Structure formats: C-alpha cells, structure tokens
Amino acid sequence: MNRNFARMNRRQFLGTGAALGAGLLTAGLPGTLLAQNRLGVTMADIGVGDPGDWSRLEGLINADINVVAIGNSPSAVVNQLVAGGGRRAFDVINIVGGMQQPLVDADLILPIEVDRLSHWDANHYIADFLAPGTPGFDFIGYQDTVYGVPTVLQADSFAYLPDETGELDSLGALFDPRFRGFVALEDNYTTAGQKTALYLQQSGLADIDDPSNLTPGELRTVIDFLIEKKQEGQFRLLWSSFEQAVQLLVSKEVHVMDCWEPMVIVANQQGANVRYAQPSEGYLLWAMAAYIVNNPTRSEEQLEATYQMLDFMLGPWYGATITDMRGYMTNPLAADFARESDAFDQATAERVAAIDEDVKEKFEFGGTWQNRWPDEVDLYEEEWQRFKSA
Amino acid sequence: MPRQAARPVITRLLQRGLYGAPLAAVAALVVGPLAVMVMVSFWTRTGFSMTPDFSLAAYSTFLGSTRLDILFRSLWVAASATLIMLLIAYPAAFLIARRVRTDAVRTVLFLFAVPFLVNYVVRTFAWTEILGRSGWVNTMLLNLGVIGAPLDWLLYSQFSVYLGLITAYMPFMVFPIWLSLSAIDPRLEQASWMLGETSPADFLADHPAAVPARGFRRRLVRIRGSVW
C-alpha cells in the first residue's frame, strides 16, 4: 500500500484527490441540500417554556426546533436583541410578558396576526384575564395591538417551610422579625420590589396608589423600608438562579423565600416540605409571552413555521406538559387533553387539572399585575442598586 | 557609498516596523476601544441608543449614585484581601523554598494547583455546602458540642467573601514569590547571617529579588479582586 502510494506521480496524486473530493461532494450533496431545505425555528426561552420534546411539532411542520437560554431581566432581554445578535439568531423569545413597550419602540418584535393561530379563539383565558382594557393586556399587547402569545399564566407569592415557621398567609412573613436572618428575596425589583410595595399598601404602612407602577416618592419609601429591614439582618441573601433558590429551601438555609412556584415543586420532589403561600394581600400576577423577533431577513416560509410553533404552544399537549412540569396554568384545553389523551397517566391528568383550578382561583382572588417596564424604570434600576449596596 | 548607507537605513526602518507593528496592534485593540468608550461617555442616551453630544450626565449619574460607593468598597475589599493573601502567601512560599525537601517541592506546588482542576464557579459554590447552616463545618462543630447553634457568619457574610477571594487567588501569589525566593542563592543568606542579620526570613523579606514578584502579584490579585 505504502509502496503503491509512493509510486504515484504528482498528476496521479492530484487526479486521485480530485476524484475522491468529487465523490465525497456528490455523496454529501443530497444530505446537504436536504438539510438546507429543512427549516430551523429558534426560540430563546427563560428556562420554563421548553417541554424537552418537540418531536410532535417537528413532524408536523418539517422544521427543527432549537431552544436556547435567555435571561429574564428586562435589561438582559433588550441587550440580547439590540447588541447580542438576537434579532438574527432568534425567531421567538419566550419570556415573562409586559416588555412590549421597549421592544416595539426599538422595532425588535412583530405584531401577532392572531388569525394565523388556530388555538387563539378557543383559549378563553385570553378573554378572561388578558383582554384589551384590563391590566392583563399589558402582558401581551401595546397600543391596542397584540405582540405576545400568552403561553403561561401564573400568580406568585412566597415559599415557606411549615415545619419551621408554622402556617403563613401574609407577605408580611418576609419582613417578620421572627424569621430574621432566615428570609431570602429574589434579586429583581419587578418581583421582590413589587411584592414589598403590595404588602406596604395592603397593610397600610405606606401610602401607595399602584404597587405596579410606583412614583419616585413611593419607590423611595419602598426601598427605604427594604434597606431598614436589610440592616436589621432580616435577609439572608438575594437569590438569582433557579437551582440556588431550590437549594436554599432544601438545605433549610432559609425558611421564608420570595420565589416562583416551580421551585417549590422541585424542592418537594427533593424531599423537602415546602409550601407556596396564599397571601391575604393578594398575588403577583403575570403571564409569559412568546414574541416574534423582528428579523428583516426572515422568509415567509420561516415566518409560517414560526406561527405554527406559536400555535403549538397554545395547544393542549404543550399546555398540559408545561403545567405538569412547572405548575403553571397554560390554556383551557390542557386539562381536558391530559384527561382524555393516552399521552398522560391518570395521576398526571388529575395534577394538571388541579393546578389549572388552583391558578384560576388565584387569579379570581387577585393582587397586583407584575410590571416589567414601569414608567420610572431607570429610577427602579437605580433604587434597587441602592438597596443591594446598603 | 550611497548603496552602503542605504542598507542601515532599510535595517532601521525594518526594525522600527518590527517594533511598531505590535505597538500599533495594541493601540488599535486596547487604546482604541478605550478611547471610544471615553468619547461615548459624553454622549446622551436616547432609548437604547446613544446620541453624539457633550454631556456630563453619565458622570453625574455615576458620581451621584451608589455606584461610587460600590467602587470604593470593591477597591477596599481587593486591597485588604491582597494584604491578607500576602501575609499568608509569603510565609507559605518561604517554607516551600527553604524548608521543603527539594524532591517534595513539586508535589507541594502541585497541591496548591489542585483546586484549579475544578471550575472556578463550582469551587465557589462548593463553599455553600461547607459553610452553610447545615454545612460540614457547622455540623461538625455542633456534633462536637463546640457550638449550640449554627454559626450564621460563615456564609453570606464579609468573612465568606474574603474566604472565597483568598482561596481562589492565593496560589497566584504563592507561585511567583516561591520562584523569586528560589532564585536567591542560599549562600547570600549565610553571608547575611554572618554579617549580623538575625534570621533568613528577615533577609528574604528585604531582598530586592523578592520585591518585583510581590508587586506583580499584588497588582494581579487586586485586578481580579476588584471584579468581585
């Protein structure tokens, strides 16, 4: 073999190389062309909207679904789209809604043509909780136009360890001296800051008109209160990641924590006894919105695949799966589908139905709608930094 | 004659080009972006973009906000952590250079490098398992009856910030100090002792060969520390 190779002259060597190259190219060409014909839809998600298995959708629309992570803070989302190449890389961003104003003003997202979504009209949660003219509409719409597809609805409160604290039913537990040093807040003014504002308003400790959109004076009152509590040693830490929050509960490092319900579900799966409170002051209400990123180079075919993906996310299988995985309410079709379909066992179907009912009751109880982009957003950022550095 | 004179000129130009190219690259890649940043710092913000202007608004915001406090606090933490690291790293390097058997030096230095085999984030998070209320340290102290309740100050405190910094960066200080001390001829120590220096440690602390490494390490660790 080596001897034969050594006997090849330059012309033979080049000829053989060219023939091999042409052969490889020809063999690989159909696959390459096939790969080029198959579309890819990329969704940037904050970590709770990925069911893990997109094969049902991929089979329907002849497209590969790619899910990538994106941060949930308003500034992180905007930075990713403005300066991080997100406009070309993503077709959809699935984040906590309410971000329409900055995204539309910067021409970063497209209006949703709801006629292209077959599940839109069947989803009466949109009419019930997110109708134009209600605070819920601010999570998906802006200036009478729909920009976000509501994939999830949820009402947040706080977690506690009943074995350590007893039963708790007030946001005041976050600031109760009995739990000094055993409380953690999320490092996020749109959640922890707004829950504090709701507590101060409902308990009469501060004169606050709208906890979701504080005036500069109200905001300073809220932050001064938080700083006072922080300096008294009330807070063990500010958490900033899902896993960290779960670990804090499982290890009993904190007993009361401002957090999301999926963390409670995961902590209980890991053997902890954690409850998600039903606070008398009300809940922090919010919805996730899937936005279509304004990519000027996107083809109509690609846009159609993107719409099919959004329609799938309003559909029953996706809804039931996310409800089961995360404890979020998704759409009215989910519970019935879980009960009737072979895709879910009976226990799972019952859990999905129970979660759906539970979240609906929370929405009926009410609270304050989370505001992701308050009027004084720069001051919110500044004041939150003041709290953190105090 | 002119041809002979031209050769040194060409050589000089080539040399200058050889030295100048890296300088130009540094200027373009480091100084250039910094200059752009300084320029943009005077612009005004409009939504998500910056508009060319000459405004001191950004400086006013920086100087009038908590960011300045955070900057000074970061500098203080970096400086004090560096000092603590020096107090630990210098004796450690001295012991490795002068007291550890020559055939064991590599092993000891390797042990200092072992933590770097683990990702920095993982290393830092591992402290929560060790220092938490139900972590190893508190559990051990409780079981031994040394304490009646978990020590809260072990984690999420100034102590844990310093511990994280020191354990993460101290080896960066040990290695170059050890290297400098190893380069000092032991006979100089003996000579200094004969001339009245009371201990080898005093001699080494004063020896000029050890100074550059300390200075360099201090700067490096301070830069890393200020990131926290």
Side-chain angles (χ1 to χ4, degrees):
Chain A
M1 179 85 180
N2 285 342
R3 246 194 339 262
N4 291 339
F5 187 78
R7 260 192 248 124
M8 284 173 90
N9 61 33
R10 193 181 62 168
R11 184 168 295 176
Q12 284 170 326
F13 177 78
L14 289 173
T16 309
L20 273 172
L24 287 171
L25 202 67
T26 311
L29 207 54
T32 311
L33 286 174
L34 209 65
Q36 281 175 347
N37 283 338
R38 194 167 168 82
L39 295 169
V41 180
T42 300
M43 178 173 81
D45 181 80
I46 58 170
V48 295
D50 182 5
D53 176 14
W54 292 93
S55 57
R56 283 171 176 255
L57 174 64
E58 288 170 329
L60 282 174
I61 66 172
N62 189 32
D64 293 322
I65 305 299
N66 310 305
V67 180
V68 297
I70 190 171
N72 189 40
S73 78
S75 52
V77 172
V78 171
N79 285 340
Q80 187 72 272
L81 293 178
V82 171
R87 280 186 75 176
R88 291 190 182 276
F90 309 145
D91 294 293
V92 172
I93 49 170
N94 190 37
I95 59 177
V96 175
M99 288 286 294
Q100 300 82 238
Q101 183 192 331
L103 297 178
V104 171
D105 289 349
D107 202 23
L108 296 171
I109 55 173
L110 296 175
I112 299 289
E113 298 170 44
V114 297
D115 295 344
R116 297 175 76 162
L117 302 170
S118 66
H119 291 116
W120 184 273
D121 288 335
N123 189 337
H124 65 77
Y125 290 168
I126 297 173
D128 292 347
F129 306 117
L130 307 169
T134 66
F137 184 71
D138 292 340
F139 270 78
I140 59 170
Y142 179 56
Q143 293 177 337
D144 300 328
T145 303
V146 174
Y147 286 92
V149 173
T151 51
V152 154
L153 288 127
Q154 181 65 338
D156 280 358
S157 63
F158 65 93
Y160 64 98
L161 309 183
D163 298 337
E164 308 291 336
T165 63
E167 291 302 323
L168 299 177
D169 63 356
S170 167
L171 288 169
L174 294 166
F175 315 107
D176 191 329
R178 287 183 298 154
F179 311 127
R180 184 169 291 163
F182 287 86
V183 177
L185 301 180
E186 183 181 356
D187 183 6
N188 185 339
Y189 58 80
T190 70
T191 53
Q194 200 170 324
K195 285 177 194 173
T196 307
L198 178 65
Y199 165 70
L200 292 176
Q201 183 207 41
Q202 293 292 310
S203 60
L205 289 172
D207 191 12
I208 290 173
D209 184 36
D210 178 5
S212 69
N213 201 15
L214 302 173
T215 63
E218 292 169 343
L219 181 58
R220 286 197 185 91
T221 302
V222 170
I223 298 299
D224 286 345
F225 173 78
L226 282 171
I227 289 173
E228 183 189 328
K229 290 295 171 186
K230 181 182 177 185
Q231 290 174 342
E232 287 172 4
Q234 183 72 14
F235 310 122
R236 182 73 166 141
L237 77 157
L238 302 181
W239 63 263
S240 56
S241 78
F242 193 98
E243 293 77 12
Q244 183 191 17
V246 171
Q247 199 50 41
L248 287 168
L249 292 170
V250 173
S251 66
K252 299 185 179 180
E253 190 71 30
V254 298
H255 298 164
V256 183
M257 188 164 78
D258 152 48
C259 68
W260 319 338
E261 192 160 13
M263 292 157 181
V264 175
I265 293 172
V266 175
N268 283 324
Q269 284 168 352
Q270 293 183 16
N273 181 21
V274 188
R275 287 203 192 134
Y276 207 53
Q278 300 178 346
S280 56
E281 297 88 354
Y283 296 89
L284 185 71
L285 311 172
W286 57 274
M288 278 186 74
Y291 300 107
I292 299 179
V293 177
N294 181 13
N295 178 351
T297 63
R298 185 188 288 119
S299 66
E300 179 54 38
E301 197 183 9
Q302 180 81 11
L303 184 63
E304 178 56 29
T306 304
Y307 266 102
Q308 284 177 311
M309 181 189 190
L310 293 177
D311 200 33
F312 179 80
M313 292 170 77
L314 280 177
W317 182 86
Y318 177 87
T321 304
I322 294 297
T323 299
D324 179 40
M325 287 173 72
R326 306 295 181 195
Y328 294 151
M329 183 167 79
T330 49
N331 61 63
L333 304 171
D336 287 343
F337 178 82
R339 195 164 35 242
E340 292 160 10
S341 161
D342 294 337
F344 299 89
D345 58 38
Q346 191 183 344
T348 305
E350 285 172 7
R351 188 165 58 246
V352 169
I355 291 168
D356 195 61
E357 279 304 313
D358 182 44
V359 179
K360 256 189 290 191
E361 282 173 18
K362 289 176 181 174
F363 268 79
E364 280 157 17
F365 187 83
T368 175
W369 280 86
Q370 186 181 0
N371 189 347
R372 298 265 286 159
W373 203 259
D375 292 342
E376 302 287 345
V377 65
D378 285 346
L379 192 61
Y380 270 72
E381 293 274 0
E382 194 69 36
E383 286 291 296
W384 194 249
Q385 291 306 319
R386 184 164 71 90
F387 165 56
K388 287 171 69 175
S389 63
Chain B
M1 188 71 181
R3 196 174 286 171
Q4 284 175 339
R7 190 168 291 166
V9 172
I10 291 168
T11 310
R12 272 205 305 276
L13 284 173
L14 279 172
Q15 280 177 339
R16 281 177 188 172
L18 207 63
Y19 297 140
L23 281 174
V26 168
L29 298 173
V30 178
V31 181
L34 287 173
V36 170
M37 194 172 72
V38 171
M39 185 175 69
V40 171
S41 71
F42 293 104
W43 293 7
T44 48
R45 188 161 66 90
T46 315
F48 296 120
S49 59
M50 303 296 289
T51 308
D53 194 1
F54 185 78
S55 165
L56 296 174
Y59 290 93
S60 169
T61 304
F62 177 75
L63 295 171
S65 69
T66 54
R67 291 184 183 88
L68 200 61
D69 293 337
I70 295 168
L71 175 69
F72 284 131
R73 195 182 305 166
S74 298
L75 289 173
W76 164 247
V77 169
S80 49
T82 305
L83 184 66
I84 296 168
M85 279 184 244
L86 186 63
L87 291 174
I88 301 169
Y90 201 94
F94 171 75
L95 289 174
I96 298 168
R98 289 291 181 264
R99 295 288 181 265
V100 174
R101 282 200 332 267
T102 313
D103 57 342
V105 165
R106 284 188 180 191
T107 309
V108 173
L109 288 174
F110 174 73
L111 289 175
F112 271 96
V114 164
F116 295 103
L117 300 176
V118 181
N119 178 277
Y120 170 72
V121 177
V122 175
R123 251 187 298 151
T124 306
F125 266 99
W127 283 114
T128 60
E129 288 292 315
I130 298 168
L131 302 175
R133 283 181 171 130
S134 53
W136 299 349
V137 174
N138 269 319
T139 305
M140 190 180 70
L141 293 174
L142 282 167
N143 289 341
L144 291 172
V146 178
I147 54 174
L151 300 172
D152 287 345
W153 55 264
L154 287 178
L155 193 59
Y156 307 120
S157 59
Q158 285 283 339
F159 169 78
S160 57
V161 169
Y162 278 95
L163 188 70
L165 281 171
I166 290 167
T167 52
Y169 296 123
M170 199 187 69
F172 286 113
M173 203 178 246
V174 170
F175 294 135
I177 294 177
W178 164 79
L179 200 64
S180 295
L181 295 180
S182 303
I184 296 171
D185 191 335
R187 289 173 302 178
L188 289 174
E189 283 176 55
Q190 292 162 6
S192 73
W193 174 73
M194 290 172 70
L195 293 170
E197 187 70 83
T198 51
S199 77
D202 291 339
F203 164 77
L204 290 171
D206 296 335
H207 196 283
V211 172
R214 291 202 307 270
F216 173 69
R217 282 301 102 185
R218 275 200 299 271
R219 281 192 292 277
L220 182 64
V221 170
R222 198 171 296 148
I223 289 165
R224 289 168 180 273
S226 65
V227 172
W228 282 62

